[in-house]
Amino acid sequence: MSGYFDHIDPIKFEGKDSENPLTFKYYDKGKNVLGKSMEEQLRIAVCYWHNFCWDGFDVFGGGTFNRPWHGAVNDRKAAEMKTDVAFDFFTRLGNPFFTFHDVDTMAASETPREHVDNLAHIVDYIEGKMGSTGKKLLWGTANMFSHPRYMSGASTNPNPEVAAFAALQVRHALEATHRLGGAGYVLWGGREGYDTILNTKVGQEMDQLGRFLTMTVEHKHKIGFKGDIWIEPKPHEPTKHQYDRDVGTVYGFLKAYGLENEVGVNIEPNHATLAGHSFEHEVEMANALGISGSIDFNRGDPQNGWDTDQFPNDLRETTLAMYYILKGGGFKNGGSNFDAKVRRQSRDVDDLFYAHVGAMDLLARALENAAAMIKKDTLGDFREQRYAGWSTGMGRKMMDGKASLAEMADYCLEKNESPAPVSGRQEYLENVVTQAVK
Ligand code: XUL
Ligand code: CO
């Protein structure tokens, strides 16, 4: 135990009438939902970066948290202390998984040699902690956006020497993820885009990104990593434009480089809204394209146009997203990572617990709502009926590739009827959702 959370008892399920703010009202990990325990359905992960790395700074001011485990360059003792703190937190909260960027966990490093050695040191230490606590790795990643060397991109950098540093980071983060039994590996291209198109060779940069991703996939197979690789779409911030804009754009990119069967997506609601989409749109788009992977749960602020990474609290939105996740077959290797941070004024370690307890309860509630929607699938039945015409007659013929444009035109002319418009029943269906949100 780390000594920082001694005043917090392990969080227990007490049910919805409990008055104790540090208990679960809905997250009852063993409860059966659609044939699996809630814990297995949700696969909840706590992230390293917002909880144990960020010190509360924003663009106008410095840190407000004063966490004692933030260390200087090559300070391995501080990195170990951070690991103790993180695993103490996971143990008291009761989440099964965690996620990390390489630099979140290890002693800060400058040279490639320091990077590799400091990472290897902390991976050993983390492996020990995982063994003694039973906590598992949902996914790992490499941070190729914070260090100034990446100001003009990682694999899309105009300088291949920077791309080589990125290769070093991805190689070792992927190998660390493999060694720690991670279910997936994420690539978020924070700086894989441009600040101005005036100094950018867009086609060249996308080819660099495509080639780098192919090399990453090849390395995954070479080392025998059986987990998934996921790209995390985001339209902009920090750059003006990011190549991995949204799920649809990522799919087009994967197709262009022949990677659509190798790589999926890690969807984040606040990134979806920045791209002008709803959360459920991105989830269902990934289902439709066959690239569903994992979720970085959070929320934005409707009045602010940036990635505020707040903890999710919208039950209707989360229920709908969960409905589409379940409709897509539920999580396989993926899970529910909270890519969310407490506000800068929430400076007590207790606030980290309040935030996660509330978000885990929200997901549990949304899961139960969505499971009830799936069992009595009014939306699904409605959709089936709406498209029923496509499984017979001319509709079927067209979809089987057995009708030409001229044949279809002649069919229409022969019938000589204008098809009657049919209601889409939007308000009725919205009422079905309102009734399901409990
Ligand atoms: C940034 C973001 C990242 C990725 C991992 O907006 O979401 O934290 O999830 O690099
Ligand atoms: Co994220």
Side-chain angles (χ1 to χ4, degrees), residues 316 425-437:
R316 187 185 179 96
R425 293 270 184 274
Q426 180 167 337
E427 295 73 17
Y428 159 73
L429 296 171
E430 285 171 354
N431 294 350
V432 168
V433 176
T434 304
Q435 212 187 346
V437 177

Side-chain angles (χ1 to χ4, degrees), residues 49-50 101 139 141-142 145 186-188 232 234 237 266 268 271 296 298 307 309 337 339:
W49 53 102
H50 289 312
H101 299 85
W139 52 260
T141 186
F145 43 88
V186 166
L187 289 130
W188 170 61
E232 184 173 323
K234 188 175 182 181
E237 196 210 10
N266 181 40
E268 182 164 322
H271 296 179
D296 265 7
N298 64 10
D307 194 12
D309 283 335
N337 176 49
D339 193 350

Side-chain angles (χ1 to χ4, degrees), residues 62-215:
T64 53
F65 294 164
N66 197 22
R67 310 280 197 229
W69 53 82
H70 292 148
V73 174
N74 290 321
D75 184 349
R76 291 186 176 180
K77 280 285 154 237
E80 288 177 6
M81 187 196 222
K82 193 198 277 182
T83 313
D84 293 344
V85 166
F87 280 80
D88 188 4
F89 184 82
F90 308 149
T91 302
R92 286 170 204 266
L93 183 65
N95 56 297
F97 291 97
F98 67 100
T99 54
F100 73 98
H101 299 85
D102 47 4
V103 304
D104 297 343
T105 54
M106 56 190 260
S109 312
E110 275 303 327
T111 66
R113 187 77 263 158
E114 284 170 1
H115 181 93
V116 171
D117 293 347
N118 284 333
L119 181 63
H121 159 261
I122 208 66
V123 168
D124 283 347
Y125 197 78
I126 290 175
E127 193 173 44
K129 279 280 169 189
M130 288 172 72
S132 59
T133 61
K135 300 297 166 187
K136 290 171 286 184
L137 176 61
L138 186 65
W139 52 260
T141 186
N143 177 331
M144 303 185 297
F145 43 88
S146 297
H147 195 280
R149 83 174 69 89
Y150 294 121
M151 70 175 187
S152 313
S155 70
T156 62
N157 203 289
N159 180 0
E161 302 297 321
V162 178
F165 208 122
L168 174 98
Q169 280 194 245
V170 171
R171 176 192 180 175
H172 290 278
L174 186 57
E175 289 177 5
T177 300
H178 179 39
R179 176 161 156 216
L180 298 176
Y185 184 85
V186 166
L187 289 130
W188 170 61
R191 304 212 184 255
E192 308 293 36
Y194 59 74
D195 290 331
T196 171
I197 203 165
L198 298 177
N199 62 13
T200 305
K201 281 182 152 188
V202 171
Q204 157 92 24
E205 289 203 0
M206 294 214 293
D207 282 349
Q208 288 173 210
L209 188 57
R211 185 65 206 127
F212 193 89
L213 189 55
T214 303
M215 284 156 53

Side-chain angles (χ1 to χ4, degrees), residues 386 417-425:
R386 192 161 184 240
E417 285 167 4
S418 184
V422 178
S423 173
R425 293 270 184 274

